[in-house]
Amino acid sequence: MTIPDLRGLAGQPVIVGGGLAGVMTALMYDRPCVLLSSGPLGASHPAAASSMLAQGGIAAAVGADDTPALHAADTLAAGAGLCDPGVVERVTADGPDAIARLAAFGVRFDRAADGTLVLGLEAAHSRHRIVHARGDASGAAIMEALVARVRRTPRITVLENARVHALESHDGAVAGARVTMDGRDIAWPAPAVVLATGGIGGLFGDTTNPLGAVGQGLALAARAGAVLGNMEFVQFHPTALAARHVAGPMPLISEAVRGEGAVLIDEGGERFTAELAARDIVSRAVWRHMRAGHHVFLDARQVLGTRFATRFPAIDALCRAQGIDPARQPIPVRPAAHYHMGGIVVDGRGRSTVPGLWACGEVACTGLHGANRLASNSLLEAVSFGTWVARDLSTLAPVTSAEPPRDMGAAATVRPASHEAWRRRMARDAGVIRTRDDMREALRVFAPLADGDDGALVRAMVLCAALRREESRGGHFRADFPQAAAVATASRLTLADVREHTATPAAKAGEMTQTPDNGVVA
């Protein structure tokens, strides 16, 4: 891609991220825009969108026995006191319309013979309300339909293999981005930048996310001066497939399998926890059982047996690729970093605290998830806030004259954001169960590197927020502070806060080592 090819894109909003939130924003915006994807849009690759991997589907109160109020109550309960009730009410009320919007874009949801939606049950939901598309391959089915629509929409310009490495500011507002594309560094003026860059699972040793999900958008926003919120809250999925030979994200054994009645057992066949408790509770139970020397399995033999392949064809294929027949064998599982409840603080329009910068999807902290995301609310949030961001962008005055993107020369070499030793350390010291000493040691490692390395910066932000929260709540559990505080308080953090927190002799003296870390990681 060369500069003459980009001149016609001057003055258009730039949407960064090729997952569901970014794609939905582009589709719902009613004017020309640019959609930047770090890899091939809609494809599976190391930097792919997590949306492609989603199995569970979308939570929406569309059943005859369900209401948005019931959905909201379940969401608030899972969020452990840190949800914004107004946001929860608004998003859950939008659920049925969100399903309709997706269907209008060509998503074919699973339906019964009478045409009604087939609804699944997942942990901490009081009703069957999980809407699927192509069974347990819902994310891929949804994304394939939307990407096809994007490619048929002339006003959306898709630029693939394009990475934003910095945001440009003017008079305290974001005024564009610096984009690496085809080995060139492009200065890209824009009236609005929307970050929809996903989560941080790739920063941890075991994760269900693409390894490219390392919090790039969080680092961009922090360096631009944005406020970040609830960075300490990381959800660990309790049942990732403990595969022997997997390069990349760990295959996920969807919560829907437990919703069908599958149970968690150890090598002796003994059950040890309530399978449909909230994810943080189940993850800690699995983690502790593993730390006690046990192996953990998800057993669907009695409840599904030979029906497993029909009910969960994608999961069945994943298991069989590892030599496991889930109809006849229990599935080995372990916790893995799955979803980040924290992110860029935004309002109901998706606006961050920095003018000119919007955010939606997992990179944003909207107030929906609180301390612990309710299963399958993430895709709903992406659809709802992607829509609302697009509508807000549509209220901006059109740009009549704007600078075109400029070629600034050869792009600098990008260093890996997630070294394996760093991932293991983060999993051990800031994983399912945390302590002050472990987190301080990890911060000593990452703080000196934060100014020049985005991955180290995001790790430092998570650690700083986790050290500040001296209680256990939702996805954040501290063995040294195992009880929840009497009052739930959301956390807020800026780059300046991180620098102040880490400006200690111990932090300044920290040195990164590549010594392998041993032991159980999450």
Side-chain angles (χ1 to χ4, degrees):
M1 186 71 70
T2 60
I3 291 301
D5 298 320
L6 304 177
R7 291 187 182 277
L9 306 180
Q12 297 183 16
V14 172
I15 302 165
V16 187
L20 179 57
V23 167
M24 198 69 188
T25 303
L27 285 170
M28 294 300 296
Y29 184 57
D30 57 6
R31 301 178 200 161
C33 62
V34 179
L35 178 63
L36 302 181
S37 176
S38 60
L41 186 65
S44 296
H45 58 92
S50 295
S51 304
M52 287 291 297
L53 303 178
Q55 295 174 346
I58 302 179
V62 294
D65 65 341
D66 202 4
T67 66
L70 289 172
H71 187 182
D74 291 344
T75 300
L76 290 168
L82 287 183
C83 298
D84 181 321
V87 172
V88 171
E89 180 180 3
R90 186 182 179 210
V91 173
T92 54
D94 188 50
D97 288 342
I99 298 299
R101 291 197 295 277
L102 291 173
F105 282 133
V107 177
R108 300 181 64 179
F109 291 108
D110 297 342
R111 297 181 182 273
D114 63 358
T116 58
L117 291 165
V118 175
L119 303 176
L121 176 68
E122 292 187 354
H125 286 273
S126 60
R127 295 290 188 275
H128 286 71
R129 65 167 67 98
I130 313 304
V131 182
H132 294 271
R134 211 160 69 212
D136 56 350
S138 294
I142 292 167
M143 287 298 296
E144 286 165 11
L146 296 189
V147 168
R149 179 58 67 96
V150 164
R151 296 196 187 280
R152 296 198 304 269
T153 305
R155 60 179 173 75
I156 302 174
T157 299
V158 176
L159 297 177
E160 299 172 298
N161 301 310
R163 286 185 167 273
V164 175
H165 61 85
L167 298 177
E168 294 196 324
S169 299
H170 180 69
D171 290 338
V174 168
R178 295 294 287 269
V179 181
T180 300
M181 194 165 48
D182 286 346
R184 308 300 293 175
D185 180 14
I186 309 299
W188 198 309
V193 174
V194 180
L195 294 178
T197 51
I200 66 170
L203 298 177
F204 290 81
D206 286 347
T207 181
T208 64
N209 296 174
L211 298 188
V214 292
Q216 304 97 320
L218 299 173
L220 290 170
R223 297 192 195 285
V227 174
L228 281 69
N230 293 344
M231 288 290 290
E232 64 270 35
F233 293 109
V234 179
Q235 185 176 85
F236 294 86
H237 198 290
T239 55
L241 176 62
R244 294 169 296 178
H245 307 293
V246 175
M250 295 177 68
L252 179 67
I253 308 301
S254 170
E255 210 156 83
V257 179
R258 282 176 283 138
E260 292 285 339
V263 296
L264 285 164
I265 62 173
D266 59 23
E267 69 281 357
E270 297 295 321
R271 293 177 67 181
F272 57 90
T273 189
E275 289 82 7
L276 291 181
R279 283 181 176 173
D280 62 304
I281 295 173
V282 181
S283 290
R284 287 195 295 275
V286 173
W287 176 265
R288 289 189 177 109
H289 213 56
M290 292 173 63
R291 292 298 294 266
H294 294 284
H295 296 283
V296 175
F297 303 85
L298 186 63
D299 189 359
R301 293 174 294 180
Q302 297 299 316
V303 295
L304 288 171
T306 57
R307 294 189 298 114
F308 193 101
T310 302
R311 178 65 181 84
F312 299 105
I315 297 174
D316 183 73
L318 290 171
C319 290
R320 289 180 181 276
Q322 295 296 314
I324 302 163
D325 178 0
R328 296 177 175 81
Q329 298 170 274
I331 305 165
V333 294
R334 64 183 298 142
H338 183 59
Y339 192 85
H340 188 210
M341 280 74 74
I344 304 163
V345 173
V346 297
D347 64 13
R349 298 172 295 178
R351 294 190 178 197
S352 77
T353 56
V354 179
L357 181 65
W358 284 252
C360 56
E362 191 172 352
V363 75
C365 181
T366 66
L368 175 65
H369 304 304
N372 195 29
R373 176 188 66 117
L374 181 66
S376 292
N377 267 357
S378 51
L379 294 186
L380 173 59
E381 180 191 46
V383 173
S384 295
F385 268 88
T387 298
W388 299 332
V389 166
R391 290 174 180 169
D392 193 46
L393 294 178
S394 296
T395 68
L396 302 180
V399 177
T400 56
S401 61
E403 294 182 49
R406 305 184 307 278
D407 187 346
M408 305 302 290
T413 302
V414 178
R415 292 185 296 172
S418 188
H419 303 290
E420 183 60 28
W422 293 14
R423 296 176 65 231
R424 290 197 299 271
R425 177 175 285 279
M426 194 67 179
R428 185 192 69 188
D429 294 344
V432 177
I433 297 177
R434 302 163 171 175
T435 67
R436 177 192 285 120
D437 290 346
D438 287 343
M439 291 189 292
R440 280 180 172 172
E441 180 61 21
L443 188 59
R444 186 190 70 84
V445 168
F446 295 120
L449 307 169
D451 281 342
D453 186 284
D454 287 350
L457 171 59
V458 177
R459 288 181 171 98
M461 290 191 290
V462 171
L463 289 160
C464 284
L467 281 164
R468 284 180 169 184
R469 185 171 292 280
E470 295 183 336
E471 64 159 348
S472 291
R473 184 180 300 276
H476 169 75
F477 187 87
R478 289 187 57 166
D480 46 352
F481 292 95
Q483 302 301 316
V487 178
T489 305
S491 68
R492 296 294 182 259
L493 196 71
T494 66
L495 181 59
D497 293 330
V498 174
R499 287 172 173 162
E500 180 180 355
H501 189 96
T502 59
T504 64
K508 291 177 180 178
E511 295 180 0
M512 181 59 209
T513 68
Q514 295 296 323
T515 303
D517 296 320
N518 298 317
V520 177
V521 295

